[in-house]
């Protein structure tokens, strides 16, 4: 992000891939909604299975995500994956990814939220998450309680009201 020269950045996990034209839809959505700092799409889950010929085959199913509500992020609920389009200046303004965060995706969502940067769902499945391709999902699921506790400690000033969230009122879709 520090070296990005474009107005937008798209993060993509190593086990994900974008569908054709995904960038066109994401860019159009964020440009059509100047108040948004992040637009995240629905995804497809891809589960590997062995085919009749012994070769790997993939079963796909859509994973519709919830519409954005900054209160979810503030309460330690990861609303969407990292695969989304972000305004580069918004990510820079909140300090980018916290290298200490056990789940940097969720931490970035909270950082954007408490600083008043709005996100929205684009109800199109624009990337494929190959769940069987990496081990991070399994580890993250096992660590979920620890991760949520860490997020709540880091952002406790916003949760207990001693610091005010900067005008996050985004609950709309892109």
């Amino acid at each position: 992000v520090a070296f990005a020269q474009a107005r937008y950045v798209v993060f993509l996990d190593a086990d994900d891939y974008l569908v054709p034209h995904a960038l066109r839809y994401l860019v159009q959505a964020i440009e059509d909604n100047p108040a948004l700092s992040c637009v995240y799409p629905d995804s497809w889950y891809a589960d590997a299975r062995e085919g009749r010929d012994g070769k790997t085959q993939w079963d796909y199913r859509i994973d519709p995500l919830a519409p954005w509500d900054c209160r979810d992020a503030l309460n330690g609920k990861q609303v969407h994956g990292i695969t989304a389009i972000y305004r580069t200046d918004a990510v820079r303004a909140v300090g980018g990814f916290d290298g200490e965060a056990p789940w940097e995706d969720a931490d970035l969502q909270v950082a954007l939220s408490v600083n008043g940067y709005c996100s929205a769902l684009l109800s199109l499945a624009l990337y494929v998450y190959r769940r069987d391709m990496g081990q991070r999902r399994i580890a993250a699921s096992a660590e979920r309680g620890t991760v949520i506790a860490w997020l709540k400690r880091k952002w406790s000033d916003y949760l207990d009201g001693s610091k005010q969230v900067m005008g996050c009122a985004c609950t709309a879709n892109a």
Side-chain angles (χ1 to χ4, degrees):
V1 174
F3 298 104
Q5 295 180 6
R7 290 180 298 183
Y8 312 116
V9 291
V10 174
F11 302 112
L12 186 66
D13 281 339
D15 54 358
D16 297 344
Y17 64 87
L18 296 173
V19 301
H21 309 295
L23 291 176
R24 180 179 75 189
Y25 291 116
L26 290 169
V27 169
Q28 188 66 53
I30 204 165
E31 286 185 349
D32 286 349
N33 296 282
L36 295 176
S37 295
C38 172
V39 174
Y40 63 97
D42 289 328
S43 67
W44 292 93
Y45 274 118
D47 288 314
R49 64 179 172 81
E50 188 174 323
R52 285 188 216 165
D53 57 2
K55 294 181 181 176
T56 300
Q57 294 184 347
W58 295 93
D59 289 325
Y60 297 94
R61 69 178 173 83
I62 195 167
D63 180 34
L65 298 177
W68 181 256
D69 185 331
C70 60
R71 291 169 296 213
D72 289 339
L74 285 170
N75 288 310
K77 177 182 174 190
Q78 184 174 2
V79 179
H80 61 87
I82 196 62
T83 301
I85 190 167
Y86 302 81
R87 292 190 190 278
T88 305
D89 59 349
V91 176
R92 284 187 183 132
V94 300
F97 291 106
D98 182 342
E100 303 297 316
W103 203 347
E104 68 279 2
D105 304 20
D107 183 64
L108 181 61
Q109 290 175 23
V110 175
L112 289 167
S113 292
V114 300
N115 287 288
Y117 293 105
C118 289
S119 299
L121 168 65
L122 178 60
S123 292
L124 293 172
L126 298 179
Y127 74 99
V128 176
Y129 173 33
R130 295 176 293 173
R131 298 190 309 168
D132 296 345
M133 296 301 290
Q135 299 302 311
R136 183 68 185 122
R137 177 185 58 83
I138 295 166
S141 294
E143 301 166 355
R144 185 166 179 78
T146 304
V147 170
I148 290 171
W150 186 93
L151 286 169
K152 287 186 175 192
R153 275 193 308 276
K154 178 178 179 179
W155 300 104
S156 64
D157 291 347
Y158 294 95
L159 291 169
D160 69 15
S162 55
K163 284 189 179 178
Q164 295 299 310
V165 174
M166 296 176 61
C168 183
C170 35
T171 56
N173 291 351

